[in-house]
Amino acid sequence: MKLSIRLVSRTLALAITLFQLPCAAPASAADEAPRPNIVLCIADDWGWPHASAYGDAVVGTATFDRIAREGVLFEQAFVSSPSCTPSRGAIITGQQFWRLGAGGNLHCEWPADKFAEYPRLLADAGYHVGTYRKAWGPGRGNPAGKPYKSVDAFLAARPPGKPLCFWFGSTDPHRPYEQGAGARAGLELSRVHLYPQFPDADVVRNDVADYYFEIERFDHEVGELLEKLAALGELDNTLVVMTSDHGMPFPRGKTNLYDCGVHVPLAIRWPARVPSWRKLTDFVSLTDLAPTFLAAAGVAVPAEMTGRSLLPILESDQSGRVDPTRNHVLVGRERHVQAQEAPEPGGYPMRAVRSDDYLYIRNFKPERWPAGTPDPTKAFKPDSWLADCDNGPTKRYLWDHREEPGVREQYELCFGKRPAEELYDLLSDPGQMKNVAGEPAYAEVQARLSNQLESELRALGDPRVDGGGDEFDTYPYYGGGGGQWSKR
Ligand SMILES: [Ca+2]
């Protein structure tokens, strides 16, 4: 009796399954849903971990925190290169900056029609594409889409029924700052985050607070943008990304491969497809954004894109390290401004691999100055020396106090020459201050990471890895003589 009941129920179950198959397979909810809007909100020089969602005690980032809370917060997001133009080119093409020819440098001419660019691919797929304020650049060209004078102007120009692909680019918190703005806004100077290479001085704390002030302004503006999308009834089917083009414009930050230069905030919200309240430790390169956007829109990802779509980890309901292969990233840099001693026009080429435990850096031209040439024989001329570090009170303080014990070491770490290889043990030295390359105890790790970096760069077509790449030093520079000190 029992057997026959079981047989009947199994037969029934099979019949029900067969009956359901034809309608279950082709039409999933995702297929029927309208295509999402794609909105990238990108700050200019906003570094990790300067958001309240990451535990910063002073800066208030209510909008970023909301995106993280209602979506996904990324703990390990990195740019391709800590310089505006190559970082943005890498985001647009989904490729590491060293693959972009002249596009790998600041103040370059964009190699038009050479690379697949996500804004153009989405326009071809029927998206209404546009930008507001700082998009790709500085440089000649515009692969990011048509610029609009305001968010409202972009929305008003949308043809009926088209999904949006919008680039909301702030120039915050790029220098220069209004000095004292942070303190006047009530930011608590005693609790601002100081990277270990910054002297603990009032002028430095004020400088960081002024940077925070601009982060808060960016965060507020992104909040206004979200309100506009909500008013249209489209916020929940919008893939919102909030991030930055690289780290903070401070010594050993921007233009450097330490975390202060390449580690950035990243939060992504898309309630229609992405489970909320999750914190991921997967390593992410911002080159992953373009394939993510294309995949979310149902557009094929070109093979030339070296980034990998984040959709699988976004759509997971897990936290922590969802994809175990996402355990490191590669970062690098070529020419920022023309900061080397005349007549040398070259940059400071370097590449690095960053994992949970180690940061390994290869400096290809260790005879050059990493932040540009200093000239201690003359009075300080901030517009001509150490030019790869943006001018500001912290840089000035390091220069003025560079002979003092304590500051001398910080100055050297920020501006002194560096060996061909650097290795930092992140478990004991998260601030990346003590280079252990060459120490016998680390010989095995150093050799392993050196080989890993070389083989991965080679696989990704990096001309530097086999002794090439000098073309990055000779591509035209359109920043002008004093122009490199304008917003960039
Ligand atoms: Ca920037």
Side-chain angles (χ1 to χ4, degrees):
M1 189 61 186
K2 270 187 180 175
L3 269 176
S4 63
I5 287 173
R6 193 182 291 167
L7 189 65
V8 169
S9 61
R10 284 180 64 182
T11 310
L12 267 173
L14 184 63
I16 290 167
T17 307
L18 287 172
F19 179 74
Q20 285 179 330
L21 269 178
C23 40
S28 72
D31 292 332
E32 290 168 355
R35 290 184 295 174
N37 297 320
I38 309 284
V39 172
L40 173 65
C41 305
I42 183 165
D44 194 2
D45 298 14
W46 174 32
W48 185 92
H50 303 135
S52 26
Y54 290 118
D56 190 294
V58 177
V59 72
T61 53
T63 306
F64 183 78
D65 300 354
R66 177 191 173 187
I67 293 170
R69 193 173 58 244
E70 297 174 354
V72 177
L73 178 68
F74 287 87
E75 295 278 5
Q76 301 284 16
F78 293 80
V79 299
S80 175
S81 185
S83 170
C84 298
T85 315
S87 176
R88 290 157 189 261
I91 290 171
I92 287 166
T93 59
Q95 298 196 46
Q96 291 282 10
F97 76 99
W98 60 74
R99 296 166 57 87
L100 304 180
N105 284 346
L106 188 80
H107 278 299
C108 63
E109 178 159 11
W110 179 250
D113 303 322
K114 204 166 170 200
F115 305 107
E117 300 150 358
Y118 88 79
R120 187 161 45 82
L121 291 170
L122 289 180
D124 292 346
Y127 272 72
H128 174 51
V129 178
T131 70
Y132 173 54
R133 296 172 65 195
K134 184 164 176 175
W136 175 85
R140 297 183 178 182
N142 174 25
K146 181 181 173 184
Y148 286 84
K149 288 203 164 83
S150 67
V151 176
D152 290 337
F154 169 72
L155 293 174
R158 165 160 60 166
K162 284 202 169 195
L164 308 171
C165 169
F166 189 45
W167 177 298
F168 181 84
S170 177
T171 53
D172 289 333
H174 198 294
R175 291 182 185 276
Y177 304 142
E178 184 189 332
Q179 288 196 17
R184 283 193 293 278
L187 297 180
E188 204 175 336
L189 298 183
S190 66
R191 301 179 75 197
V192 300
H193 172 242
L194 298 184
Y195 272 94
Q197 70 269 24
F198 302 167
D200 191 351
D202 280 350
V203 65
V204 175
R205 288 183 175 274
N206 266 290
D207 200 18
V208 174
D210 294 345
Y211 153 82
Y212 279 10
F213 177 84
E214 295 206 356
I215 294 169
E216 293 190 351
R217 188 164 61 191
F218 167 63
D219 186 86
H220 179 75
E221 289 181 342
V222 174
E224 291 177 334
L225 172 60
L226 298 193
E227 291 308 315
K228 289 181 194 292
L229 293 167
L232 291 171
E234 297 184 35
L235 181 58
D236 285 355
N237 194 30
T238 298
L239 196 168
V240 177
V241 173
M242 188 167 173
T243 188
S244 172
D245 67 345
H246 53 74
M248 65 195 300
F250 281 66
R252 208 170 160 92
K254 175 178 181 177
T255 74
N256 290 269
L257 303 188
Y258 313 109
D259 278 13
C260 187
V262 291
H263 197 178
V264 288
L266 174 65
I268 300 180
R269 180 190 188 276
W270 184 18
R273 296 265 295 269
V274 174
S276 63
W277 275 102
R278 290 154 57 223
K279 196 181 278 191
L280 298 190
T281 60
D282 296 66
F283 276 77
V284 168
S285 164
L286 294 196
T287 58
D288 297 334
L289 293 178
T292 305
F293 296 160
L294 295 174
V299 175
V301 178
E304 70 186 61
M305 292 191 173
T306 56
R308 297 160 62 198
S309 168
L310 297 170
L311 269 195
I313 60 174
L314 286 172
E315 292 189 306
S316 151
D317 59 0
Q318 307 293 305
S319 291
R321 178 79 40 91
V322 176
D323 178 349
T325 68
R326 287 189 169 275
N327 58 10
H328 68 282
V329 287
L330 303 184
V331 294
R333 195 198 118 183
E334 285 294 337
R335 193 178 64 208
H336 187 63
V337 303
Q338 291 186 315
Q340 302 297 317
E341 195 162 28
E344 173 61 79
Y348 192 81
M350 47 185 162
R351 305 286 188 271
V353 54
R354 166 73 157 84
S355 65
D356 289 304
D357 299 340
Y358 294 101
L359 169 67
Y360 171 81
I361 301 175
R362 183 79 63 84
N363 298 311
F364 292 100
K365 306 274 185 188
E367 68 278 13
R368 295 181 184 172
W369 294 94
T373 309
D375 189 346
T377 64
K378 299 175 188 167
F380 186 61
K381 283 180 23 184
D383 60 347
S384 54
W385 301 333
L386 304 173
D388 272 336
C389 178
D390 290 6
N391 292 319
T394 301
K395 174 182 177 182
R396 181 65 196 241
Y397 186 95
L398 279 161
W399 175 268
D400 288 343
H401 297 262
R402 68 190 184 281
E403 303 298 340
E404 297 173 9
V407 179
R408 186 201 315 266
E409 293 75 18
Q410 291 168 317
Y411 176 87
E412 279 302 317
L413 285 169
C414 293
F415 302 117
K417 287 189 177 177
R418 296 170 185 167
E421 290 180 282
E422 298 173 67
L423 177 65
Y424 298 91
D425 181 341
L426 304 183
L427 297 183
S428 60
D429 179 24
Q432 303 155 6
M433 297 285 279
K434 185 177 187 302
N435 179 15
V436 297
E439 292 191 7
Y442 291 93
E444 201 176 315
V445 170
Q446 186 178 337
R448 174 171 60 80
L449 293 174
S450 171
N451 289 335
Q452 180 185 356
L453 181 65
E454 275 196 24
S455 67
E456 293 195 18
L457 291 175
R458 190 170 288 117
L460 291 171
D462 187 342
R464 280 287 177 205
V465 76
D466 287 316
D470 284 348
E471 61 271 23
F472 287 111
D473 288 344
T474 54
Y475 289 127
Y477 177 82
Y478 296 105
Q484 67 264 43
W485 301 108
S486 60
K487 282 266 187 186
R488 64 175 182 268

